[in-house]
Amino acid sequence: MADIFDSICPIFLDRNEEVVEQVGSGVLVTIADTIFLLTAAHVVDWSSQGVLCIPSNAGIVPIDGSFVSIETQKGVARSKDKIDLAYYNLTKSLGANLHQSLRPIERNDLWLTDNTLDDDVYTFSGFPVNKSRNKANTVSTELFSYSGHAAVDKKYENLGYDKDTNIVINYRIKKSVSPDGVKLNPPHPRGISGGGVFRWPKDVGHRPQELRRSLVGIAHTYLKTQNCLVGTRLDLYYQLIQQNNPHLFPAASGHTESPERTIPLFLSVVCYRKEEWPLLMSQFADADHMQNSWNEWRQAVENGIEQMQRKNVLMIPIELTADEIMKHCASENIPNTGRTRADLAGRRLAEMLKEEKVS
């Protein structure tokens, strides 16, 4: 019988050297007849240093298909990314030849409407990199799980995370114990990024006979000082996949399937360079309605982003240059107004969120 954890897959980096190295994890999910590999964006970032690969029946092979990886705002480090979202849409041939130990998870084992309360139990599972071995052209690694109770609301607030977007659990690696209370010495979680976050039954305290767990998120961050693990909720992935692949979500009514709760939206917000502010003000048709300085504008935008995120709306900053805006206005024969710039940013965001071919 397939185990839900068989959906978790190690991800390797091939730098065109003799030895591949593990850099992260992913979760294989089947939607209709298509297999997706969900992971963290900072795992996909490793592709700038080589080719990302996964296990197949033919060995460790390059990931083939299309992908989406949400970029951070210019100047913001990936380590500050609260979403850290990426996925691959695997080709049919790769999906049919995954390593025999891997079993993509199906819709019945996904939970898109999880509502986290204090002390709910979750498990973060993936492949720690310090358990990866490469000997005699054979690569091996081990799956580990890290469980803990959900963090309280105040901890979410202090860390800058949102309960509607993220799952945060308390986890002290030096105080790890087995379900029977035996002290454990687990490996450092580095490498489980992109692995699965699984919810336990809410009545786990009553020791249900069948401990059925469901995938609710994708892991991406271990905060050692704050003693917690962080993941992004699964419904964000589901929404983005549906946006790019509406044909995979038929419903009985003939409309596309919608996840069971209101899902955070991805909206663009226009950003400008400080050094271009005087030039921009000379070009804007609505400059009289703008802030008096770039610093004032920045404060207003950051306040707006924060307020929207508190309403469960994800704002993606899109930087527009003066030259880009003017060329757009000229090509469309339209004035340089706030509505024009917002529309341009929206187009840029739509392109950013589209799947692109793995190179």
Side-chain angles (χ1 to χ4, degrees):
M1 181 179 177
D3 189 297
I4 193 172
F5 296 102
D6 293 341
S7 63
I8 304 173
C9 174
I11 296 178
F12 301 92
L13 176 67
D14 184 352
R15 303 179 191 262
N16 292 320
E17 300 174 356
E18 293 184 1
V19 179
V20 298
E21 59 183 295
Q22 188 199 327
V23 294
S25 303
V27 180
L28 294 160
V29 176
T30 297
I31 299 178
D33 61 347
T34 302
I35 296 177
F36 294 86
L37 177 65
L38 314 185
T39 188
H42 77 263
V43 174
V44 175
D45 289 346
W46 282 100
S47 61
S48 65
Q49 300 186 35
V51 178
L52 291 178
C53 307
I54 57 174
S56 77
N57 288 326
I60 306 297
V61 300
I63 299 175
D64 191 14
S66 54
F67 77 102
V68 173
S69 181
I70 296 183
E71 300 176 1
T72 59
Q73 181 182 355
K74 185 175 181 180
V76 176
R78 178 65 81 183
S79 60
K80 302 295 184 182
D81 188 358
K82 304 296 185 183
I83 306 301
D84 208 353
L85 185 158
Y87 75 81
Y88 288 92
N89 182 338
L90 303 184
T91 61
K92 299 293 185 185
S93 58
L94 178 55
N97 289 284
L98 294 170
H99 191 271
Q100 60 185 3
S101 65
L102 299 172
R103 296 287 186 276
I105 198 171
E106 297 190 352
R107 179 64 181 88
N108 288 341
D109 288 313
L110 309 181
W111 200 295
L112 302 178
T113 59
D114 181 65
N115 180 30
T116 302
L117 298 178
D118 299 353
D119 289 333
D120 284 350
V121 181
Y122 295 87
T123 293
F124 283 57
S125 299
F127 292 88
V129 295
N130 61 5
K131 286 295 180 178
S132 179
R133 301 288 184 268
N134 194 323
K135 294 183 179 180
N137 294 322
T138 299
V139 180
S140 65
T141 186
E142 296 180 53
L143 179 71
F144 275 80
S145 294
Y146 307 78
S147 299
H149 292 93
V152 299
D153 290 352
K154 190 64 176 178
K155 191 164 192 176
Y156 273 86
E157 181 181 345
N158 291 341
L159 295 174
Y161 289 103
D162 186 335
K163 266 192 170 181
D164 291 322
T165 302
N166 300 106
I167 297 171
V168 180
I169 68 167
N170 299 308
Y171 182 76
R172 291 178 179 269
I173 194 167
K174 292 184 177 180
K175 294 188 177 181
S176 300
V177 296
S178 71
D180 298 323
V182 178
K183 183 172 175 56
L184 301 175
N185 185 28
H188 191 283
R190 186 169 68 92
I192 73 165
S193 293
V197 180
F198 300 89
R199 78 194 292 270
W200 290 42
K202 301 305 181 182
D203 59 348
V204 67
H206 295 88
R207 297 289 181 185
Q209 187 172 7
E210 181 185 3
L211 185 57
R212 181 177 176 81
R213 282 169 281 198
S214 303
L215 181 70
V216 293
I218 301 298
H220 60 69
T221 300
Y222 171 52
L223 299 173
K224 182 179 180 180
T225 303
Q226 290 81 11
N227 299 304
C228 62
L229 289 164
V230 185
T232 290
R233 291 192 178 276
L234 186 63
D235 51 7
L236 272 72
Y237 287 81
Y238 206 74
Q239 181 198 26
L240 193 51
I241 290 172
Q242 181 173 334
Q243 179 177 312
N244 282 310
N245 304 272
H247 61 286
L248 298 180
F249 297 83
S253 64
H255 300 289
T256 56
E257 177 186 354
S258 296
E260 290 88 333
R261 75 177 175 94
T262 302
I263 294 175
L265 301 174
F266 295 96
L267 296 179
S268 61
V269 58
V270 183
C271 290
Y272 309 110
R273 296 178 181 176
K274 184 175 183 178
E275 63 271 21
E276 286 197 334
W277 186 257
L279 176 61
L280 289 165
M281 291 302 98
S282 69
Q283 296 174 343
F284 287 178
D286 55 353
D288 291 344
H289 300 288
M290 297 294 292
Q291 288 77 13
N292 293 324
S293 68
W294 182 86
N295 286 331
E296 288 184 21
W297 164 82
R298 178 190 178 190
Q299 183 63 47
V301 167
E302 289 185 351
N303 287 341
I305 291 175
E306 176 62 24
Q307 291 303 314
M308 293 300 286
Q309 289 189 333
R310 290 178 183 178
K311 296 178 181 179
N312 203 28
V313 178
L314 299 180
M315 306 296 293
I316 308 295
I318 302 294
E319 184 179 89
L320 300 179
T321 65
D323 183 62
E324 180 181 12
I325 297 169
M326 291 303 292
K327 286 181 178 178
H328 174 69
C329 292
S331 65
E332 300 287 333
N333 192 28
I334 52 178
N336 189 340
T337 62
R339 182 172 182 176
T340 297
R341 298 187 294 273
D343 178 65
L344 177 57
R347 296 186 189 186
R348 284 270 306 278
L349 176 61
E351 289 299 316
M352 181 190 302
L353 297 181
K354 284 183 179 179
E355 294 177 7
E356 58 180 292
K357 188 75 175 64
V358 177
S359 57

